[in-house]
Amino acid sequence: VFGPMTPGSQRSVAIVGAGFAGLACARSLQASAELTVTLIDQHPYQLFAPLLYQVATGGLPEDDIAYPVRAAIPGINFVRGEVTKVNPGAGTLRLASGVEIPWDDLVLATGSIGNSFNIPGVDDHALQMKNLQQARAIKHRLLGTYERVHVGEQPKEDLGVVVVGGGPTGVEVAGAVAELQKQMTHEFPSIAGYAHVTLVEAGPRLLPSFSPKSSDRARQALEKLGVEVILDAAVDRMYPTDVHLKNGRVLPAGTTIWAAGVAAETRWTVLGDSDRLNRLVVDECLRLQDNVWVIGDMAHVEAADGRPLPMVASVALQQGKYVAKAIMSASPPEPFRYKDKGQMATVGRRLAVVELPNGFRLHGTLAWLSWLALHVAYLAGGRNRVSVIADWVWNYIAWGSGARRTIIE
Ligand SMILES: Cc1cc2nc3c(=O)[nH]c(=O)nc-3n(C[C@H](O)[C@H](O)[C@H](O)COP(=O)(O)OP(=O)(O)OC[C@H]3O[C@@H](n4cnc5c(N)ncnc54)[C@H](O)[C@@H]3O)c2cc1C
C-alpha cells in the first residue's frame, strides 16, 4: 500500500485525473492544512485540449500546450500512474503497477475519449484527436503523406483529408488543415494542387450548439478557405483510404480525422448508473455516494432545463472548484449550479464566432482576437503563454511565404 504523506489522522483526498477538473480541484484543496491531497494522472502534464488541433497541423509545438502538474501546483503530492480500479467499499484505488492508495474522499475526473459510435472501420482507419500522441499521429500522417506522394510511394488521391464532425473541434481542425495545405504549395508545388479537405456533418448545420447565423458564418469562412462542407451526411463505414457516406457518396482520403463525438471510458460504469455516453450519473452535489465525487467530462449532471451539461472545459473547472469547497466545508454543500460563460469557435487565422449567454454575438476579426486572448489567458504557465504568443505572431507573419514548424521523424 502506497501511504499518502499523512501526518497523524489527517483526512486524505485522492483525485484521479489532472485535467481541467482535477487540477482545479487540487489547486483549491491545496490551501487546506487539514487535508492530505494526492493527485494521480497517467501523464505528468495537464493537456490544454482546445489547442490540440494546432499541434496536429504543425502550428504549435507539443510542449506549448502541455504543462507539468508538479509545476502547476508547487508542493502537490502528485503520483504518475494509470488508475485501473476503484474500491469504494474499502476506500482504496489501484494503479496499473499494482500500487494501492487509500483515501477518505475520492474525486474522479478522468475525462473522456473519442467515441466512434461503433461505425464500422472508424476505430481502425480514422485518427482521433483527444491526446498528444493522437495529435502527433495526425501531424505525421498529414506531412508524411506529402513526402510519400512526392516520391510516388502513394497515389495523389491520398492528399485528400476528410474531417468528420461539424462541432467546434471539427470546424477548427478542418480550417487549420486547409491552411496547412495552402502553405504546402510552397514546399511541394508539383503535388500540392491535389490536396483538399472535406468536412462531413450528419446534422443540417455546422456548430449545432451555436445560433444558425454563427453556423452560416463558419460554413462561409470554411468554404472561403477551400473546405468542402457536406451537411446532412452521416458516415456509413470507413476503409483505409475511403469514407463511405450513408447517401452513397464515397470520399477518397489518405487521412480521416474523427471529431464526431466523445464519451467517458466504459471501465468506470461499474461504479454506478451511467448514460449513453458512459458518464456516471451523480446527484445535484456531484456525488456518487457520500465520499465519492465525479466531475468534468465523465459526470452526467443535469442543468436546470433537464439537459445534461456539455462536456466543456468551463463546466470541468467550475465543478473542480465546487467539489474542493464542498470537501473543505463542515456543513452539507449547496447543489452545484453551472454558470454559463458562453461559447466560441475559430475558423482559420482570421475569423471566430463568439456567443455569450445574454445573447451577445461577435463574428469576424474582433471575435478572433477575443478567442486568442481567452486561450492565452487559460493556458497554464507563463512560459507557455509567451511561447504560444510568439509562435502565433510568427505564424501570422510568416505563413504564406515562410516555412512552418514541420519537423517529423
Ligand atoms: C480537440 C479538443 C478541443 C476542445 N476544445 C474545447 C474548447 O475550445 N473549449 C472547451 O470549453 N472545451 C473544449 N474541449 C473539451 C475540454 O477539453 C474538456 O471538456 C475538458 O478537458 C474536460 O476536463 P476533464 O478534467 O473532465 O478531463 P481532461 O481535461 O480530459 O482530463 C482528464 C485527465 O485524466 C487523466 N486520466 C484519464 N484516465 C486515467 C486513468 N485511468 N488513470 C489516471 N489518469 C487518467 C488523463 O490523462 C487526463 O489528464 C476540447 C476537447 C478536445 C479533445
Side-chain angles (χ1 to χ4, degrees), residues 17 19-21 41-43 49-50 81 83 109-111 129-130 296-297 311-313 316:
F20 282 98
D41 201 296
Q42 59 204 354
H43 300 123
V83 176
T110 59
M129 197 180 60
K130 275 293 290 176
D297 277 8
M311 295 157 92
V312 294

Side-chain angles (χ1 to χ4, degrees), residues 16-23 40-43 45-53 79 81-84 95 109-113 129-131 168-169 172 262 265 267-268 295-299 310-317 319 342 344-345 371 375:
V16 185
F20 282 98
L23 208 65
I40 306 146
D41 201 296
Q42 59 204 354
H43 300 123
Y45 51 79
Q46 189 226 347
L47 178 69
F48 192 76
L51 292 178
L52 213 43
Y53 77 96
V79 175
E82 183 195 353
V83 176
T84 52
L95 303 184
T110 59
S112 56
I113 55 172
M129 197 180 60
K130 275 293 290 176
N131 58 40
T169 300
E172 288 175 351
V262 294
E265 279 199 71
R267 71 163 103 174
W268 305 118
I295 54 176
D297 277 8
M298 73 181 296
M311 295 157 92
V312 294
S314 55
V315 171
L317 284 169
Q319 292 182 337
M344 47 173 52
W371 180 92
H375 281 69

Side-chain angles (χ1 to χ4, degrees), residues 77-97:
N77 180 29
F78 175 70
V79 175
R80 184 176 179 187
E82 183 195 353
V83 176
T84 52
K85 207 165 177 221
V86 164
N87 187 340
T92 56
L93 59 83
R94 182 182 283 270
L95 303 184
S97 61

Side-chain angles (χ1 to χ4, degrees), residues 279-293:
R279 290 177 294 187
L280 288 168
V281 179
V282 289
D283 69 12
E284 55 184 13
C285 297
L286 314 182
R287 284 176 306 206
L288 207 53
Q289 60 181 61
D290 258 358
N291 55 346
V292 178
W293 316 74

Side-chain angles (χ1 to χ4, degrees), residues 53-54 57 59 171-172 175-180 182-183 186 221-222 225 346-352 364-369 371-372 391-401 404:
Y53 77 96
Q54 298 217 355
T57 52
V171 164
E172 288 175 351
V177 169
E179 284 181 336
L180 171 68
K182 207 179 267 175
Q183 171 62 23
H186 299 283
L222 281 173
L225 282 174
T346 180
V347 186
R349 285 176 300 136
R350 293 258 172 123
L351 183 123
T365 310
L366 202 58
W368 182 72
L369 288 171
W371 180 92
L372 286 187
D391 275 321
W392 279 344
V393 169
W394 179 255
N395 294 346
Y396 199 68
I397 296 167
W399 285 358
S401 54
R404 286 174 76 117

Side-chain angles (χ1 to χ4, degrees), residues 337-358:
R337 292 268 171 270
Y338 173 56
K339 227 175 164 183
D340 188 0
K341 300 271 180 76
Q343 50 183 349
M344 47 173 52
T346 180
V347 186
R349 285 176 300 136
R350 293 258 172 123
L351 183 123
V353 289
V354 176
E355 292 188 358
L356 300 184
N358 62 9

